[in-house]
Amino acid sequence: MTTSLDAAPPPAPQTSTSELWGHPKGLYVCFFTEMWERFSFYGMKVLLLLYLTKYHLFTDAAGYDLLGAYAGLVYAMPVIGGLVADRYLGMRKSVVLGGILLCCGHLGMAFEGEQARVIDGGVVQDALSIEVFYFSLALIVMGVGFLKPNISTIVGRLYPDGDARQDSGFTLFYMGINVGAFLSALVCGWLGETHGWNWGFGAAGVGMLIGLGVFLSGQRHLQGQAEPRDPPALRRRVLGALNLEAVIHAAVICGVFVVWYLIRRPVAVHWTMHATATALVLGMGWFLWTRCTRQQAQQMLVLTALILFSMVFWALYEQTYGSWILFSDRVMEREAFGIEWTASQLASLGAFFIFVLSPLFAWLWPRLDRAGRNPSTPAKFGLGIVFAGLSFVVLAIGARSPGNSGMVALWWFVAAYFVLEVGELLLSPIGLSAVTSLSVPRVVSLMMGAWFLASAYSEVVAAWLGKLSSVEPGADGGIDVAHALSRYADLFSNLGWIGLGAGVVVLLLTPILRRGMHGVK
Ligand code: GLN
């Protein structure tokens, strides 16, 4: 029996004519598209919790709940975006669709309405602007779902199988992600916190418009690797005058309304994620059983294990957009080089260290490889999680050693970010690369979706963990710094231990996992 999943594989990537600086030209198209997409994504994300708690006067707990629900959905949707791309739309069309939705969503965020006020001890919010805000978030969720997994999969497709440049290609791609994240935290964070939230969100929207423009003008360099599996099927009429492609677009629009409904209901979001994960596991079980050789099944199982481990890393990492933001806003000195940085701007430190360290790692892997000393993917994962744990140890020590002013010195935060980012580079780009090389090619976008689904779970867990450090302002609207510090310090040291413990477990399992990889690097 054949299904559309079994249709002809994409053409083999060409190697010589379409290269620039040792990599396929398409890599640079993906690099800049994703750079601008992440500019808009993180420009919005660094402002989100501050905007909710300071402008719409959400409590910390309600702010974390919404952050978790939004970020959970944003990373769960790539399962659907990946699946639809694998089976029907292809990656190129999916990226364009996602890009359009993202432009609408980010520009919608720039509508901020009236600031919430406290009247007779109760908070009065502008209901209409909050609805527009939720709808904009829904558009972003759907947009990321279609863009993010597929642009990452295209990168893997640009290299012939077993090409040693693939890990470096992903490290460079990852650098693009972080150039975007870095600039956006600086620009959107500064505009949003000092000139007005709508300026920050608006700037994010403009970034996404540029990203879409880059992709539309550069898509011819993708070497036909991102086309639909079965183009005539997309043109076939399936509903009255509507062809399949139009029906998919209509379904996506309906999906935006579903997400709009879900986003304010964290419990419903959790169940949606559980349902998605269950469907994915059942579908994968069926696929492994009926469509894979023994070796492919083992490789897919190793990939699944790696995806599960990545969850620990992301649950720690995502504190940077939650508890770390409120920590730096409330209990930390933020002055350096004569400038008082805003909390959202300081979130740029993560991306800054990534692109300082990326060239080093991009150089290191092929070199270690040639010397026969390249650590295996599971070992890199284990080390990555250990480093994430260590960064929390650093920050916990900082939180327990405030200066004379009672606030924590900025350099603890800088050091913690540095350590965390070494961990991120050990795990995240390597993970993307592992997805494309360990997955059976026919379901690679779907597995990329599964990779991001792990992030989705981590986002929910991260928000739940962040909530443990909630502090509510006193009657005068101020925060008790000493009390807040002790809550942050407790959370950070617990997370430090969790990271160290989990990382060591992964390192111990490395030999077993390596065997299941059957030589794939
Ligand atoms: N920071 C990376 C990105 O934006 C990874 C995010 C994730 O997978 N959770 O792509």
Side-chain angles (χ1 to χ4, degrees), residues 38 42 75 148 174 177 314 317-318 424 428 452 455:
R38 291 287 102 178
Y42 284 118
Y75 281 119
K148 181 82 169 144
Y174 210 71
I177 289 180
W314 294 117
Y317 172 88
E318 287 301 336
E424 185 176 347
S428 187
F452 289 115
S455 281

Side-chain angles (χ1 to χ4, degrees), residues 34 37-38 41-42 45 75 148 152 173-174 177-178 181 310 313-314 317-318 321 354 421 424 427-429 432 451-452 454-456 458-459:
E34 182 61 346
E37 186 267 335
R38 291 287 102 178
F41 180 80
Y42 284 118
K45 197 170 176 185
Y75 281 119
K148 181 82 169 144
S152 316
F173 175 71
Y174 210 71
I177 289 180
N178 286 283
S310 78
F313 178 85
W314 294 117
Y317 172 88
E318 287 301 336
Y321 295 94
I354 290 275
E421 299 312 336
E424 185 176 347
L427 182 140
S428 187
L432 294 177
W451 168 260
F452 289 115
S455 281
S458 313
E459 291 276 6

Side-chain angles (χ1 to χ4, degrees), residues 120-465:
D120 296 332
V123 175
V124 181
Q125 296 172 321
D126 176 352
L128 172 69
S129 77
I130 291 191
E131 280 312 320
V132 173
F133 163 72
Y134 283 136
F135 192 72
S136 307
L137 289 181
L139 284 163
I140 295 175
V141 164
M142 208 46 125
V144 171
F146 276 82
L147 190 146
K148 181 82 169 144
N150 296 314
I151 193 100
S152 316
T153 316
I154 296 173
V155 174
R157 286 266 175 103
L158 295 171
Y159 297 89
D161 273 352
D163 189 329
R165 295 172 308 164
Q166 183 173 298
D167 266 6
S168 316
F170 269 106
T171 305
L172 286 172
F173 175 71
Y174 210 71
M175 192 160 149
I177 289 180
N178 286 283
V179 173
F182 172 73
L183 294 175
S184 71
L186 285 185
V187 175
C188 304
W190 174 69
L191 283 173
E193 283 198 78
T194 58
H195 284 67
W197 304 102
N198 54 350
W199 280 91
F201 293 130
V206 171
M208 191 57 233
L209 280 171
I210 301 177
L212 184 58
V214 167
F215 190 77
L216 289 174
S217 54
Q219 51 186 331
R220 64 183 187 283
H221 293 299
L222 303 179
Q223 308 169 9
Q225 291 299 314
E227 294 311 302
R229 227 157 239 294
D230 185 6
L234 280 180
R235 290 191 291 272
R236 214 164 289 141
R237 291 195 177 174
V238 286
L239 206 71
L242 295 180
N243 63 24
L244 180 60
E245 191 166 357
V247 170
I248 292 174
H249 288 168
V252 168
I253 309 274
C254 295
V256 172
F257 284 88
V258 174
V259 174
W260 187 28
Y261 171 83
L262 282 178
I263 205 156
R264 68 205 82 186
R265 296 173 177 79
V267 177
V269 170
H270 302 168
W271 282 108
T272 309
M273 282 168 46
H274 299 329
T276 315
T278 311
L280 190 70
V281 168
L282 291 177
M284 239 183 85
W286 168 83
F287 184 75
L288 291 189
W289 196 252
T290 60
R291 299 295 164 104
C292 293
T293 63
R294 196 181 150 79
Q295 173 169 333
Q296 285 174 327
Q298 288 183 356
Q299 289 171 331
M300 292 278 279
L301 285 174
V302 172
L303 178 57
T304 308
L306 294 176
I307 290 176
L308 290 175
F309 295 138
S310 78
M311 287 170 55
V312 182
F313 178 85
W314 294 117
L316 300 191
Y317 172 88
E318 287 301 336
Q319 295 304 317
T320 54
Y321 295 94
S323 56
W324 286 28
I325 291 255
L326 294 186
F327 172 83
S328 56
D329 189 49
R330 293 168 172 172
V331 295
M332 206 179 81
E333 312 263 15
R334 281 180 276 106
E335 206 197 287
F337 311 116
I339 298 174
E340 172 82 12
W341 303 89
T342 67
S344 53
Q345 282 186 301
L346 288 177
S348 64
L349 281 167
F352 171 76
F353 284 127
I354 290 275
F355 68 75
V356 168
L357 292 166
S358 282
L360 185 76
F361 278 89
W363 166 83
L364 186 68
W365 299 140
R367 217 182 143 82
L368 286 177
D369 207 47
R370 278 194 297 275
R373 288 167 183 269
N374 197 356
S376 64
T377 299
K380 288 175 183 158
F381 264 58
L383 286 172
I385 299 172
V386 165
F387 273 92
L390 279 176
S391 77
F392 278 84
V393 173
V394 172
L395 205 55
I397 298 174
R400 294 201 200 281
S401 347
N404 293 338
S405 61
M407 309 282 260
V408 177
L410 174 61
W411 300 109
W412 288 107
F413 200 59
V414 176
Y417 257 117
F418 177 82
V419 179
L420 179 67
E421 299 312 336
V422 172
E424 185 176 347
L425 276 174
L426 282 163
L427 182 140
S428 187
I430 306 299
L432 294 177
S433 185
V435 171
T436 64
S437 45
L438 283 173
S439 166
V440 176
R442 281 179 289 174
V443 291
V444 64
S445 300
L446 182 62
M447 290 312 287
M448 195 57 91
W451 168 260
F452 289 115
L453 183 62
S455 281
Y457 271 99
S458 313
E459 291 276 6
V460 169
V461 174
W464 175 76
L465 291 167

Side-chain angles (χ1 to χ4, degrees), residues 47 95 118 187 410 496:
L47 288 172
V95 168
V118 179
V187 175
L410 174 61

